[in-house]
Amino acid sequence: MKRLRWPSWMPIDPYIVLLLGTVGLAALLPARGTAADVTSGASTAAIAFLFFLYGARLSTREALDGLRHWRLHLTVLVCTFVLFPVFGLAARGLVPALLDQPLYQGLLFLTLVPSTIQSSIAFTSIARGNVPAAICAGSFSSLIGIVLTPLLAAGLLGGEEVGFSTDSLVKIVLQLLVPFLAGQVLRRWIGGFVTRHKKVLGLVDRGSILLVVYNAFSEGVNRGVWHQVSPVRLAGLLGVEAVLLAVMLVLTWYGARVLGFGRKDRIAIQFAGSKKSLASGLPMASVLFGGHASLAVLPLMLFHQMQLMVCAVIAKRRARDPEGAKDADAGAATDAPGESAAHPVEGQPENRVLR
């Protein structure tokens, strides 16, 4: 069985291979007619269940305690919903020289999406950072983003590209926020079950994302949107995203130092403030962009893989820092027992995270 494990030196997460395979399946066998209706309904239900599980996993006491670290959370929110969109708007100057309009719209949407939960926690844990702060920062960002991302998309994207309305906002709230709150309410009774079966429920996490990707890309294939993308444009998009990620990693690390945060807090800010959530962005794009969602989420999917690869390297280096070695002895006193182990993606090595 050890021989069948994904090689630790492989830079691409196995889940990314599944994502790319799902895109290929949608290109060859897109869902049409009744199958498309069934797939759409199933993906909506799967994402709602995914956020229900998020709610059931987050300790309410932990969230309330995290509010006292408001400066850290405010810093992450500013990075996610202010700095990122500013850079996204600045990228407008690259059209049409480097990007075409549809890819730019997707890039700008990427900058509006909330931060990740799972991978921010996992990388912070690996780097010996402030894990409870990362849990709360990622969760707060996701909750606020449920309302703020559609509003920002309507204001910054506008036009016919985004089908924003009160109805679309209600759909997003019903699909993401309501299940999350339901999970919080029921956590008292199901929290133990969720913890005991985290490996099985991890498959639900991954399967939900794959289903939404298949649905979005099937609809894109049926509408013929992929004829609009050329390899040159994709290469330009990758270059722009690499620069964007590098800038945000530098700003979150050194900016947090200027603001007076300690090393553990800076680690949490860097990993929570520099990444974007595929789990939140996919369903929002499906509602806001409709048939053009596949192009809208393409930049997000590429950025998602890039951020995992780069942050995995950074996290391991942070763990080997002299400062990190000193913190290792005091780690049990600052990180709740079992806290960091519960959050890296189940069934994967610590440096393998999926969202």
Side-chain angles (χ1 to χ4, degrees):
M1 291 300 295
K2 290 183 178 179
R3 292 180 181 179
L4 297 177
R5 292 179 63 184
W6 195 263
S8 59
W9 51 264
M10 190 71 73
I12 300 178
D13 191 286
Y15 189 67
I16 300 302
V17 177
L18 290 177
L19 281 173
L20 296 177
T22 302
V23 173
L25 179 63
L28 296 174
L29 298 172
R32 293 189 173 97
T34 303
D37 295 335
V38 172
T39 303
S40 178
S43 64
T44 300
I47 288 296
F49 186 56
L50 175 62
F51 273 78
F52 173 80
L53 292 178
Y54 284 165
R57 289 170 181 169
L58 177 65
S59 167
T60 305
R61 178 181 177 182
E62 195 172 67
L64 293 176
D65 289 343
L67 289 175
R68 289 181 291 187
H69 212 351
W70 63 269
R71 287 183 64 247
L72 184 148
H73 303 313
L74 181 61
T75 302
V76 172
L77 291 176
V78 168
C79 292
T80 303
F81 296 114
V82 178
L83 293 182
F84 257 113
V86 167
F87 291 128
L89 291 172
R92 180 68 179 83
L94 302 176
V95 180
L98 203 58
L99 302 172
D100 58 18
Q101 188 62 23
L103 287 181
Y104 168 69
Q105 296 283 353
L107 178 67
L108 182 55
F109 175 72
L110 148 71
T111 65
L112 310 179
V113 170
S115 178
T116 62
I117 299 176
Q118 197 99 333
S119 58
S120 296
I121 296 166
F123 285 133
T124 301
S125 173
I126 293 169
R128 306 183 189 280
N130 189 337
V131 175
I135 295 171
C136 295
S139 300
F140 293 157
S141 177
S142 292
L143 291 175
I144 292 173
I146 290 172
V147 175
L148 189 55
T149 296
L151 293 176
L152 288 172
L156 299 181
L157 288 167
E160 298 180 356
E161 291 85 359
V162 178
F164 179 82
S165 63
T166 303
D167 182 59
S168 65
L169 181 59
V170 170
K171 285 182 179 179
I172 292 172
V173 169
L174 290 177
Q175 189 177 0
L176 305 183
L177 180 59
V178 171
F180 183 93
L181 296 178
Q184 279 282 284
V185 172
L186 296 177
R187 188 182 187 280
R188 176 180 178 182
W189 295 278
I190 66 174
F193 176 86
V194 170
T195 301
R196 290 193 302 271
H197 296 84
K198 58 181 180 294
K199 291 186 178 180
V200 176
L201 295 177
L203 297 177
V204 176
D205 286 8
R206 300 189 284 274
S208 300
I209 301 300
L210 293 176
L211 186 58
V212 176
V213 168
Y214 177 74
N215 180 64
F217 279 80
S218 290
E219 193 166 358
V221 170
N222 292 334
R223 292 174 178 260
V225 297
W226 287 104
H227 297 297
Q228 306 172 25
V229 183
S230 69
V232 174
R233 295 297 189 187
L234 283 178
L237 176 64
L238 283 171
V240 172
E241 291 190 338
V243 172
L244 176 63
L245 178 60
V247 169
M248 288 305 302
L249 286 170
V250 170
L251 285 179
T252 50
W253 181 252
Y254 291 103
R257 175 180 292 177
V258 170
L259 292 175
F261 288 100
R263 179 183 180 275
K264 289 195 171 187
D265 288 346
R266 296 202 309 271
I267 290 173
I269 290 171
Q270 183 176 52
F271 290 127
S274 64
K275 295 203 302 302
K276 293 293 184 175
S277 172
L278 192 63
S280 297
L282 281 173
M284 291 182 186
S286 298
V287 173
L288 296 174
F289 290 90
H292 297 282
S294 57
L295 276 182
V297 301
L298 178 61
L300 179 58
M301 287 183 61
L302 295 176
F303 190 83
H304 168 259
Q305 167 61 11
M306 192 181 299
Q307 70 187 14
L308 293 184
M309 293 171 63
V310 174
C311 289
V313 174
I314 293 175
K316 287 186 286 187
R317 289 186 176 181
R318 294 267 185 262
R320 294 194 296 264
D321 285 346
E323 264 186 289
K326 292 179 182 178
D327 291 337
D329 296 333
T334 54
D335 294 342
E339 186 67 28
S340 55
H343 292 282
V345 173
E346 299 83 355
Q348 300 289 340
E350 277 193 329
N351 63 331
R352 296 290 189 209
V353 281
L354 308 182
R355 281 184 302 283

